[in-house]
Amino acid sequence: MSQTAVITGAGSGVGRAIALALAKQNWKVALVGRREETLRQTARRAGKNSRNLLVCPCDIGEVRAVEQMAGAVLKRAGVPEVLINAAGTNVSKRALDVLSTEDYHRVMEANLHGAYYCVQAFLPLMRKRKSGTIVNIVSEAGRQASPKSGPAYVMSKFGLTGLTQAINAEERAHGIRACAIFPGDIDTPLLEKRPVPPSAEARAKMLKSEDVAACALLAISLPLRAIVEEILIRPR
């Protein structure tokens, strides 16, 4: 019997890499993201394993949309063993002196509120079953602020770190574990949102999405008695 995972941000980057890695291991994976076409591109990349992938378009910043998505996943695939919160965004005008209130809320909704809504959608059922693994793709910005990230992104990622810690503090007695992964620079489409996107030479030295996916698979695959609470991974 195949296991089920729900992955947000599955249309690109780290979310896509994790989805493809789990599909190779015959997991049933719910691909969650705002744009249906990018989710379908992920499914196509899975080749023969695409039959195990469910395309679930959803704006996770909207709580009602998350509730509807969760209902569809439960109906089609059952209670997931794993939830991966990999969705994330940033804005070009990100520094304090140029960050708009609208952009601030957009970043917080995608990076923090959406992860919280997804946790609350699936956690009660994991708790009832007494098992589940939640992996939050944070960022090194969730440990230390830097000018390149901007305050909205930093605040959202510090919040995601806190959510991970809260899950472990409250839910480990119920068989639930959570892991926060803190990657350094990753060569993903999000880099295009930087005020000055990095050069091809700079990108070549960065982490790849598959590197971070391998960290997520470690946290998922260890016996349930083991909790990998944090992983910090940076380019060499």
Side-chain angles (χ1 to χ4, degrees):
M1 181 177 180
S2 63
Q3 295 177 294
T4 300
V6 175
I7 304 178
T8 72
S12 65
V14 173
R16 171 179 283 177
I18 298 172
L20 295 177
L22 289 178
K24 285 183 179 179
Q25 297 182 8
N26 294 315
W27 282 65
K28 185 174 291 185
V29 182
L31 307 175
V32 179
R34 287 189 301 118
R35 292 178 294 170
E36 182 174 350
E37 178 52 33
T38 60
L39 299 178
R40 294 201 177 279
Q41 290 172 7
T42 298
R44 287 194 290 270
R45 290 196 182 195
K48 64 180 182 181
N49 297 312
S50 62
R51 64 184 181 276
N52 292 326
L53 304 184
L54 310 176
V55 174
C56 302
C58 175
D59 181 355
I60 62 168
E62 298 288 339
V63 64
R64 295 291 175 260
V66 171
E67 291 171 350
Q68 291 174 3
M69 176 273 292
V73 170
L74 294 173
K75 184 176 181 179
R76 297 169 65 187
V79 180
E81 283 76 21
V82 169
L83 168 64
I84 309 284
N85 285 308
T89 194
N90 207 337
V91 292
S92 297
K93 295 182 178 180
R94 60 184 65 176
L96 282 168
D97 63 340
V98 294
L99 179 65
S100 69
T101 300
E102 181 181 3
D103 281 346
Y104 165 79
H105 284 291
R106 182 180 298 115
V107 173
M108 294 297 286
E109 287 166 3
N111 296 2
L112 179 59
H113 297 167
Y116 174 77
Y117 299 152
C118 289
V119 167
Q120 290 290 53
F122 294 106
L123 181 59
L125 295 168
M126 291 180 171
R127 187 187 297 125
K128 184 176 180 180
R129 191 186 53 207
K130 298 188 180 302
S131 70
T133 301
I134 298 170
V135 178
N136 293 323
I137 308 301
V138 190
S139 164
E140 61 181 359
R143 295 168 57 92
Q144 177 64 54
S146 70
K148 71 180 179 182
S149 300
Y153 190 83
V154 169
M155 291 167 67
S156 70
K157 294 302 186 175
F158 265 78
L160 196 53
T161 302
L163 176 60
T164 309
Q165 293 177 1
I167 294 168
N168 283 328
E170 296 184 16
E171 300 293 341
R172 69 175 66 213
H174 303 131
I176 313 299
R177 60 185 180 178
C179 176
I181 300 179
F182 301 93
D185 286 340
I186 317 170
D187 183 13
T188 71
L190 187 60
L191 294 175
E192 295 300 324
K193 292 183 179 290
R194 286 190 179 179
V196 180
S199 66
E201 182 181 6
R203 289 178 186 236
K205 298 177 181 178
M206 295 180 181
L207 297 170
K208 303 304 179 187
S209 296
E210 291 76 14
D211 303 329
V212 184
C215 294
L217 264 64
L218 170 65
I220 293 168
S221 62
L222 285 174
L224 292 176
R225 62 178 178 271
I227 303 176
V228 181
E229 296 189 1
E230 296 185 352
I231 298 176
L232 173 63
I233 177 172
R234 289 180 169 137
R236 183 167 56 84

